[in-house]
Amino acid sequence: MQFINSLRGEWLKTRRSAASWLCLIGGFLLPLLYFIGALKDHNTLNSLPVNSEIWKVYFFQIWRFMAVVMLPMGLILSSSLMTQLEFRNNTWKQVLTTPQSIGTIYLAKLSAILLMTLKFFIFFNIGMLAAAIIPSLIFDHQLPRDSFPYSFYLVNNLKILLTCMPVIAIQYLISLRFKNFLVPIGAGLMFWLVSVILVNTWKYAYVSPYSYTPMIGLNTKLPAGINILILSGVYSAVFFAAGFFVFRAKREVS
Amino acid sequence: MYCIETKQLSFKYSGGAPVLQGIDLQVPEGCIYGFLGPNGAGKTTTLRLLLGLLKKQEGAMLLFGKEFERNRIEILQKTGSLIEAPSLYSHLTARENLDIMRYLYDFPPKRIDAVLDLAGLGNVGSKTVGKFSLGMKQRLSIAIALLHQPELLILDEPTNGLDPNGIIEMRELLKALNKEYKTTILISSHLLSEIEKLVTHIGIINKGQLLFQGTLEDLQRKQKQGASTIFHTGDAGSTMRILQENGLQPVLADGMVLIPLVDRSVIAGINQQLVAEGVVVFEISSGRNDLESIFIDLVNN
Ligand SMILES: Nc1ncnc2c1ncn2[C@@H]1O[C@H](COP(=O)(O)OP(=O)(O)OP(=O)(O)O)[C@@H](O)[C@H]1O
Ligand SMILES: [Mg+2]
């Protein structure tokens, strides 16, 4: 109960915040560009140069740039911004004198970041579908004949969501630790850049959790026995726990 | 019973000199305790320790008779606080800032109107806090501290940024809370004159040491003892004699004659006598009448 109350507060803090705008813009920008492109060229989904599984091809086409560039950047920025909120407003001392355990405080903010990520996924999927369906209606084309692959969309969204977790965990940890918000942003962007460069050139690129989302977007071949979903789970668990201990040790930063 | 009691509380920031040295704070239940000291004395550090914002290093800390560390949540539930600069979300409105706290304490929305009125922010509307003046922010911080009807209020220089009217309103508000709800209030300040009319108890801290602690009357008594009337005349010897003849106990210091503070009519009588005997009187002064000077005395010695 205390946790739910705390989470409600954390969620309220995102109202009108930079992270919220980022989520909205990040979610709809790419679909909007797609939509504009379709209008300009009088294209619809059926113009894709394939004739089967059009929905699946479309999914990866629109997700690619998102998964490689925009999503990792968005995760880095939003988790840092949402944590930075407390430093910038001088509010850690307010938060830490409310009657909640340190663990509840840590979890509530983390959950708000995860909810924001989920919100982004919902926005992006709505945008993605709208960008496919609306041009078909406008140009009076038919939608692809094959039925919509619900489970494919759901499973792949969840996979990408899962690979976001370790990045969020690491960014949250760094953001809690350092008052200067350039530290988490700078570190995050550096990790991401190095990881993306190495994704297709180094066979051990999978050691960096920042490469998982790009790997899905680029459909990278992985060495046998390596499952980035399992690795994501392990990394997240480790860094979520480490973040908690960092926060507990550091709570006098305020 | 003490609402707040510390025993030999000592603290130093990492790598720094000791900031608090053996503080024995005793804040009785239901009192208004003024915590006084010049800049850098250690007031904020003490209050932060009491709220668990700094980790206790040495000594013991009891709030509501309970060890803080082991009863943190229970103690914070009953405590409202305002430490230094306002702690507010600038992209949210006053109401939204209060909502965050309201969720945590599980109060109905009506309570927000009540505290906004109490803090004199009845009609702030939908402006975000970033557009508030410093005084308005301070008022909102007070509203937040009062939201959950705490039994104990810990306020660090709450009048910072308030206009004279605001200072008086705040004083009245705190008095009323103390009277109506028996709220214990610990309030820090570096000006005695500012809280003199408000507090029942006083603690004076300087360079990390508690120099005085007691009721306001204790302090006034101490001040009377320390105060004296000073005679600066052309003939100190005759002045001493005349004062002795009047049953007073004069002391000679720096060519001037001091007696314990006496009534103005006594001074007038002695002055006539001095003049009648041909002693030149340069100056007669009764110094250190206000509490401020004893505060300054304590701090400077
Ligand atoms: N974060 C910190 N790190 C190191 N030293 C600190 C820190 N905060 C305060 N100090 C030192 O501790 C001492 C006491 O500071 P504190 O803020 O408690 O004083 P104060 O009585 O609240 O003063 P003021 O009236 O100016 O608010 C000062 O010497 C200050 O330099
Ligand atoms: Mg201070």
Side-chain angles (χ1 to χ4, degrees):
Chain A
M1 197 56 208
Q2 182 61 269
F3 171 75
I4 296 292
N5 289 337
S6 189
L7 178 56
R8 273 178 86 191
E10 289 299 328
W11 192 246
L12 179 55
K13 289 177 199 174
T14 67
R15 197 179 281 181
R16 288 186 291 273
S17 71
S20 280
W21 284 109
L22 199 68
C23 178
L24 186 72
I25 295 167
F28 288 110
L29 182 66
L30 215 51
L32 187 69
L33 293 179
Y34 233 86
F35 177 66
I36 293 170
L39 287 190
K40 187 164 74 66
D41 303 331
H42 285 249
N43 277 343
T44 63
L45 213 51
N46 278 320
S47 324
L48 283 177
V50 273
N51 36 32
S52 68
E53 305 205 305
I54 292 179
W55 281 114
K56 296 185 184 178
V57 173
Y58 174 65
F59 180 90
F60 278 111
Q61 202 178 50
I62 193 160
W63 257 109
R64 181 159 306 138
F65 185 64
M66 181 52 85
V68 177
V69 183
M70 287 178 69
L71 181 57
M73 291 225 205
L75 293 175
I76 291 167
L77 281 172
S78 61
S79 20
S80 305
L81 284 169
M82 286 174 73
T83 316
Q84 167 72 8
L85 203 67
E86 308 290 355
F87 288 106
R88 200 188 52 214
N89 290 308
N90 226 324
T91 37
W92 273 124
K93 59 180 194 271
Q94 182 78 264
V95 174
L96 290 168
T97 47
T98 52
Q100 351 173 33
S101 69
I102 301 297
T104 307
I105 297 174
Y106 177 82
L107 271 185
K109 187 168 282 300
L110 176 60
S111 304
I113 296 175
L114 295 178
L115 272 183
M116 186 63 88
T117 312
L118 190 65
K119 184 166 127 182
F120 158 80
F121 269 75
I122 293 171
F123 282 178
F124 186 56
N125 276 280
I126 291 173
M128 190 161 90
L129 295 181
I133 296 170
I134 297 173
S136 303
L137 298 179
I138 292 175
F139 301 128
D140 208 11
H141 277 201
Q142 277 185 331
L143 282 170
R145 207 160 298 143
D146 38 339
S147 62
F148 184 77
Y150 290 102
S151 61
F152 173 87
Y153 269 63
L154 188 64
V155 167
N156 282 287
N157 266 300
L158 286 177
K159 274 188 189 171
I160 302 172
L161 186 60
L162 184 59
T163 60
C164 293
M165 297 293 146
V167 176
I168 292 174
I170 296 172
Q171 290 303 132
Y172 188 43
L173 182 155
I174 307 177
S175 309
L176 286 172
R177 175 65 183 72
F178 295 96
K179 190 173 184 156
N180 184 345
F181 121 117
L182 292 177
V183 177
I185 302 252
L189 289 181
M190 201 184 64
F191 291 150
W192 165 77
L193 191 66
V194 172
S195 302
V196 167
I197 292 171
L198 294 179
V199 157
N200 280 329
T201 55
W202 191 44
K203 63 176 173 166
Y204 298 113
Y206 62 82
V207 297
S208 165
Y210 288 76
S211 61
Y212 299 165
T213 335
M215 277 173 172
I216 293 191
L218 297 168
N219 214 354
T220 311
K221 268 260 166 302
L222 284 159
I226 297 299
N227 183 333
I228 55 171
L229 297 179
I230 292 175
L231 281 175
S232 292
V234 174
Y235 269 121
S236 320
V238 169
F239 283 105
F240 283 145
F244 171 68
F245 289 111
V246 164
F247 181 55
R248 208 178 56 169
K250 181 68 183 167
R251 72 179 155 106
E252 33 205 274
V253 285
S254 42
Chain B
M1 225 247 311
Y2 295 118
C3 183
I4 301 177
E5 189 176 11
T6 70
K7 292 172 187 156
Q8 290 299 304
L9 193 64
S10 298
F11 186 84
K12 63 174 163 210
Y13 289 97
S14 57
V19 168
L20 297 179
Q21 302 167 38
I23 301 286
D24 292 320
L25 216 56
Q26 294 177 332
V27 180
E29 214 165 76
C31 79
I32 306 184
Y33 187 106
F35 193 36
L36 279 174
N39 292 135
K43 302 182 295 291
T44 303
T45 305
T46 309
L47 302 187
R48 277 176 173 270
L49 276 166
L50 287 175
L51 290 164
L53 289 171
L54 291 170
K55 245 192 209 106
K56 192 191 73 182
Q57 296 170 346
E58 247 178 77
M61 224 162 62
L62 300 168
L63 280 88
F64 305 102
K66 290 184 175 157
E67 176 64 41
F68 181 85
E69 299 282 319
R70 255 172 279 137
N71 302 278
R72 179 177 166 272
I73 295 182
E74 187 196 335
I75 289 169
L76 290 177
Q77 187 86 43
K78 296 192 272 189
T79 308
S81 65
L82 192 174
I83 300 288
E84 282 186 327
S87 225
L88 302 163
Y89 299 97
S90 55
H91 63 293
L92 300 179
T93 65
R95 201 167 279 277
E96 287 164 343
N97 268 283
L98 283 158
D99 268 332
I100 294 172
M101 294 296 145
R102 181 175 71 76
Y103 297 153
L104 284 174
Y105 296 104
D106 234 349
F107 271 96
K110 265 204 309 233
R111 177 70 191 149
I112 289 186
D113 298 301
V115 288
L116 280 175
D117 274 343
L118 271 182
L121 281 176
N123 42 15
V124 277
S126 57
K127 228 198 279 188
T128 55
V129 168
K131 296 184 186 121
F132 277 22
S133 70
L134 178 60
M136 289 166 78
K137 286 182 188 163
Q138 202 70 7
R139 284 164 188 261
L140 180 55
S141 307
I142 289 157
I144 288 175
L146 298 181
L147 184 75
H148 57 294
Q149 299 174 315
E151 292 169 36
L152 166 66
L153 271 176
I154 295 182
L155 307 172
D156 193 13
E157 307 196 17
T159 48
N160 226 342
L162 291 187
D163 52 27
N165 215 12
I167 294 178
I168 294 169
E169 276 175 38
M170 158 93 83
R171 200 182 289 153
E172 294 310 314
L173 171 61
L174 294 181
K175 269 188 189 163
L177 286 172
N178 176 257
K179 201 169 159 212
E180 240 172 274
Y181 303 103
K182 306 264 171 299
T183 313
T184 308
I185 302 172
L186 172 57
I187 178 172
S188 87
S189 174
H190 42 248
L191 279 179
L192 178 58
S193 53
E194 190 184 73
I195 54 168
E196 199 183 324
K197 294 194 200 80
L198 172 67
V199 300
T200 55
H201 290 67
I202 279 190
I204 297 178
I205 185 177
N206 188 35
K207 297 191 183 128
Q209 285 174 321
L210 207 56
L211 301 177
F212 171 86
Q213 178 166 247
T215 61
L216 195 61
E217 291 80 56
D218 288 341
L219 188 65
Q220 276 158 346
R221 212 169 299 134
K222 198 175 160 78
Q223 168 244 339
K224 282 227 177 73
Q225 288 163 4
S228 49
T229 302
I230 303 165
F231 291 82
H232 190 188
T233 61
D235 179 355
S238 308
T239 312
M240 290 283 284
R241 182 179 47 79
I242 292 167
L243 287 169
Q244 271 157 357
E245 283 167 10
N246 278 280
L248 299 159
Q249 287 114 40
V251 235
L252 196 64
D254 284 339
M256 287 185 280
V257 182
L258 275 73
I259 54 166
L261 198 65
V262 289
D263 206 65
R264 290 204 299 204
S265 57
V266 179
I267 296 175
I270 290 169
N271 185 33
Q272 276 178 349
Q273 234 174 308
L274 286 168
V275 174
E277 299 210 9
V279 178
V280 190
V281 177
F282 300 127
E283 188 183 0
I284 303 176
S285 59
S286 291
R288 343 223 126 198
N289 244 336
D290 55 343
L291 286 171
E292 203 65 45
S293 47
I294 185 154
F295 171 45
I296 290 167
D297 265 1
L298 275 170
V299 164
N300 286 340
N301 291 338

